[in-house]
Amino acid sequence: GAVVSQHPSRVICKSGTSVKIECRSLDFQATTMFWYRQFPKQSLMLMATSNEGSKATYEQGVEKDKFLINHASLTLSTLTVTSAHPEDSSFYICSATGGGLFYEQYFGPGTRLTVT
Amino acid sequence: QKEVEQNSGPLSVPEGAIASLNCTYSDRVSQSFFWYRQYSGKSPELIMSIYSNGDKEDGRFTAQLNKASQYVSLLIRDSQPSDSATYLCAVIGTGFQKLVFGTGTRLLVSP
């Protein structure tokens, strides 16, 4: 299957600071990338959908000014958590699809964010 | 009614048995169906995709799709303890981009 990487895998930051997470498709061009968040023992929650060169589409209840998404190229999307607070601590996972006929999504390994 | 429904489990099977995981979906126009495996603390991994009615086999995994009944299943033959994980059923919705996930079925394979 296709490979998606994320960096960093773990990050600890202080409350009030910003954190940037990178998501890269390594062996395919990702027309669309997605950002999810998952709290312990809970389901994946889609935060936003990002098409290359376009503004991201955020899900209801997700603050677009707090979670800044940039999809500047067909292989890279970034999520910046601005002014992070302890309640933002979570497992952030990106996925990517090359489109095609059936839109398989491949997930990155995730980034565990802890805000102290 | 939830868009994608799965039994949360846990489904317990002995090593070597067949594990059968089921999923129903509500959107009749759905075209693409996926099974993801998620180990605790890890991200989901795509293990099977199916688009046409019938069976699709890949190694020990068989996905089954019945669009008339709006039903997708995953069979795991010769189950191994390493198959113990949460299995997520996902459907591409009418927007043809977003995945709609079920809540997942936790599978436990005992040695």
Side-chain angles (χ1 to χ4, degrees), chain A residues 57-78:
Chain A
T57 301
Y58 290 81
E59 295 299 301
Q60 193 171 7
V62 178
E63 299 173 62
K64 62 180 181 181
D65 294 330
K66 182 171 182 60
F67 298 100
L68 302 178
I69 292 171
N70 184 279
H71 191 166
S73 78
L74 283 172
T75 59
L76 174 64
S77 177
T78 59

Side-chain angles (χ1 to χ4, degrees), chain B residues 16-27:
Chain B
I18 296 175
S20 177
L21 304 159
N22 305 313
C23 170
T24 58
Y25 60 95
S26 61
D27 188 346

